[in-house]
Amino acid sequence: MRSIRRFLLVSLLGAVVLITGLAAFRSYEDASHEVDELFDAELAQMARVLQSLLTVQLKRTQLDSLRDSLSYKPYPGEERPSDPFAEYGEATALGHKYERKLAFAVWNNEGRELLGSGSPDGGFPFVAEVGYGDTDLAGAPWRTFSLYDPELEIWIKVGQRFDVRSELTDEIVLHALLPLLLIIPLLLVVIWWVVGRGLSPLLRVSRQVTSRDQHNLAPLDTEQVPEEVEGVVSAINALLKRLDDALSRERQFTANAAHELRTPLAGIRIHAQNLQRQLGSQGDRGEESGAGATPERRLPRAPDHILEGVDQMTHVVEQLLRLSRLEHEQSLSFQKLDLVPLVQRVVASLAPLALKKQQTFGLDVDEGAVLAIRADETSLEMMCRNLVDNAVRYTPAGGEVRIRLQPLNGAVELGVEDSGPGIPSAERERVFERFYRLGSQGSRGSGIGLAIVRQVASSHQVRVELGESSLAETGLSVRVQFPLNPLKG
């Protein structure tokens, strides 16, 4: 999934780097242009100063002595292999090392050199053209300016190596951009903080949604929600309202239907019991009189089937009513209670059903143990009853059902194991859905028992784990762990 935070950070940081790079390039171009103009003007000025000096000096001074005085003379110690200015910097009391990067030459009309600075890179070639030009001396590029004096009939050319200009340009750009380069890390931190601050309303809404359980359909908090997010929050609240209304209508229908079914089911059961007694009494009279087989005797199990169906429907209705009460319960009454007597009551109430199926049925708990937890007694007993009832119902006759209570790792574990058909691992999450039943199991369950178990477990902030039973290869193990520490709230 694409991250808005990552997109904004990458985009903004990329824009900062790109703009900084463009600014550096533009600054270098501007600085290079300005430096070229400055040094070009300086070359022209040097040539004209040299022209004015030569107008006077050529009349008073011997050309040889003038040439000797203007020639380049190495500084003491420059003959050493190392740079004489390296130890003292670029400028010393003896001069500046850039003097070797400046040169001039004077020619007559025939191209004979009259004067020259004697540059270490060699002399300029004679070219009878005035103005600016570029040339190479000893493999180094030079910028030159030439002029012609018609009175003295001489050509004057002054020059400067290009690396002087480029070095100055680099220094100017570096000093201009260095503060910006130092600010970029701070700017990155500011951008990261601003992006996080701007996305905080979305994170708050996300936390509100993810922190809720499946039963909390209250509207999201709209305080301090910016305009850009307000539409999304309003749409979510409208969806939650419609969903809450739909679920309320479903729960109300379930409760009403269950209540309406209880009375006719009770009446059908009474009539089936009366029919069973009548058929039984008629069968007894037929045997005493020696009469042949009657229709009543041929159908001795019909009332039993009716009663079995009625009991099954009654169980479904009772489960629906329990689930409806749990879903409508706004707040549970949590209090400290001992889990041992509660489970003992459940086991005692379901023992007759286990004995009827000739099952090995029992509770394993240390004698005198007190396993206190904080819970709602009514809903917790409902959960325990459904777990044990499911185990007894789905375990075949002659099987085994074992309930265990034990302290474990700072918690109280309730375990129910059976030797029934079990639940495939791929189906263990779906069996908690309402009315979901496994087609491979022979017992006719309501499909609501484990939905009630999950509802109670969710309200107690505990998890129900399904696993393999140690009693049989195909059995089921159900474990629920309750914290010994009292629940908050």
Side-chain angles (χ1 to χ4, degrees):
M1 182 180 294
R2 189 175 184 180
S3 169
I4 297 178
R5 178 191 290 272
R6 188 181 302 110
F7 171 76
L8 291 176
L9 288 175
V10 171
S11 300
L12 292 175
L13 297 181
V16 169
V17 173
L18 178 61
I19 292 174
T20 302
L22 293 176
F25 176 77
R26 184 61 182 174
S27 297
Y28 186 86
E29 291 292 322
D30 291 343
S32 179
H33 176 72
E34 296 298 328
V35 168
D36 286 342
E37 288 189 343
L38 175 64
F39 281 119
D40 283 349
E42 189 178 58
L43 287 177
Q45 186 182 44
M46 289 171 58
R48 300 191 190 284
V49 170
L50 184 58
Q51 179 187 12
S52 62
L53 291 175
L54 290 176
T55 300
V56 178
Q57 294 297 330
L58 285 178
K59 298 177 181 179
R60 301 179 179 179
T61 308
Q62 295 293 327
L63 187 60
D64 293 338
S65 61
L66 181 60
R67 182 185 299 114
D68 183 65
S69 64
L70 292 176
S71 63
Y72 180 82
K73 298 180 178 60
Y75 295 105
E78 192 178 10
E79 296 81 1
R80 293 178 299 176
S82 61
D83 189 348
F85 295 97
E87 300 179 5
Y88 309 104
E90 295 180 348
T92 68
L94 301 176
H96 200 287
K97 69 177 183 179
Y98 279 5
E99 290 183 41
R100 289 173 291 179
K101 299 181 180 182
L102 302 173
F104 73 92
V106 180
W107 300 275
N108 60 15
N109 284 332
E110 288 76 24
R112 184 170 66 88
E113 183 176 320
L114 303 178
L115 293 173
S117 59
S119 171
D121 294 336
F124 292 119
F126 174 72
V127 179
E129 293 180 359
V130 296
Y132 293 97
D134 298 326
T135 187
D136 286 339
L137 292 181
W142 286 69
R143 179 70 167 170
T144 63
F145 177 77
S146 302
L147 59 81
Y148 178 69
D149 190 330
E151 293 184 8
L152 300 177
E153 296 182 348
I154 59 174
W155 292 84
I156 301 175
K157 177 180 286 190
V158 294
Q160 180 186 62
R161 274 177 54 165
F162 267 110
D163 56 356
V164 175
R165 301 177 176 221
S166 61
E167 184 176 342
L168 179 59
T169 301
D170 294 343
E171 291 289 338
I172 292 174
V173 173
L174 179 61
H175 284 81
L177 293 180
L178 185 59
L180 182 58
L181 295 176
L182 295 177
I183 290 175
I184 284 180
L186 178 60
L187 188 60
L188 300 183
V189 174
V190 172
I191 290 176
W192 180 85
W193 182 83
V194 170
V195 170
R197 184 74 172 176
L199 294 177
S200 59
L202 283 176
L203 297 178
R204 284 199 299 269
V205 173
S206 177
R207 284 193 293 267
Q208 285 188 59
V209 175
T210 55
S211 63
R212 296 185 174 200
D213 58 25
Q214 66 271 26
H215 307 294
N216 187 359
L217 298 178
L220 299 176
D221 186 12
T222 57
E223 293 184 3
Q224 298 180 349
V225 174
E227 296 179 359
E228 293 79 4
V229 186
E230 187 174 0
V232 177
V233 175
S234 299
I236 293 176
N237 286 339
L239 177 62
L240 291 175
K241 180 66 168 58
R242 293 194 299 270
L243 184 59
D244 187 38
D245 292 342
L247 291 177
S248 297
R249 289 193 297 269
E250 179 187 345
R251 288 192 294 265
Q252 190 63 41
F253 171 79
T254 302
N256 292 339
H259 278 291
E260 293 296 326
L261 287 173
R262 293 181 75 182
T263 300
L265 286 175
I268 293 173
R269 181 178 179 79
I270 292 174
H271 290 306
Q273 289 175 340
N274 292 335
L275 177 61
Q276 189 180 44
R277 284 194 295 270
Q278 290 176 6
L279 290 176
S281 61
Q282 291 177 3
D284 293 340
R285 288 197 299 270
E287 291 178 358
E288 292 176 359
S289 62
T294 63
E296 292 82 355
R297 295 185 63 187
R298 289 196 300 267
L299 299 173
R301 293 289 299 168
D304 294 338
H305 293 319
I306 295 174
L307 287 174
E308 184 179 352
V310 170
D311 289 342
Q312 177 67 24
M313 292 184 65
T314 303
H315 178 70
V316 172
V317 169
E318 293 295 336
Q319 293 285 63
L320 285 173
L321 286 174
R322 293 189 186 102
L323 183 60
S324 177
R325 283 195 295 268
L326 283 174
E327 292 177 339
H328 281 85
E329 190 71 35
Q330 297 296 325
S331 60
L332 300 177
S333 177
F334 286 96
Q335 57 186 353
K336 191 173 183 179
L337 58 89
D338 187 1
L339 193 57
V340 175
L342 184 147
V343 175
Q344 287 174 339
R345 289 197 304 269
V346 172
V347 170
S349 65
L350 292 172
L353 179 60
L355 293 176
K356 183 179 179 181
K357 299 180 70 173
Q358 298 180 344
Q359 295 173 344
T360 302
F361 183 73
L363 170 64
D364 295 336
V365 62
D366 292 339
E367 184 176 356
V370 176
L371 302 176
I373 63 172
R374 188 173 175 82
D376 177 75
E377 184 174 2
T378 302
S379 62
L380 186 60
E381 183 172 351
M382 192 182 304
M383 181 182 73
C384 296
R385 184 177 299 277
N386 274 278
L387 290 176
V388 179
D389 181 74
N390 276 357
V392 174
R393 284 179 181 272
Y394 287 103
T395 299
E400 183 177 1
V401 176
R402 183 65 57 186
I403 301 96
R404 292 187 177 88
L405 274 177
Q406 60 182 347
L408 183 66
N409 298 327
V412 177
E413 182 180 83
L414 168 64
V416 180
E417 290 188 291
D418 60 59
S419 59
I423 300 176
S425 57
E427 303 284 343
R428 288 174 185 171
E429 187 63 28
R430 295 198 62 190
V431 293
F432 290 101
E433 300 174 5
R434 285 190 291 179
F435 304 111
Y436 182 81
R437 294 171 57 209
L438 297 176
S440 59
Q441 294 182 347
S443 179
R444 293 177 295 172
S446 64
I448 306 175
L450 288 179
I452 294 175
V453 170
R454 168 167 281 188
Q455 182 78 19
V456 176
S458 176
S459 63
H460 285 74
Q461 303 175 15
V462 297
R463 179 177 175 81
V464 181
E465 296 181 358
L466 304 183
E468 307 294 335
S469 174
S470 61
L471 303 179
E473 293 183 358
T474 59
L476 179 69
S477 170
V478 183
R479 296 190 303 275
V480 186
Q481 289 189 3
F482 300 90
L484 282 172
N485 295 327
L487 296 175
K488 296 181 180 180

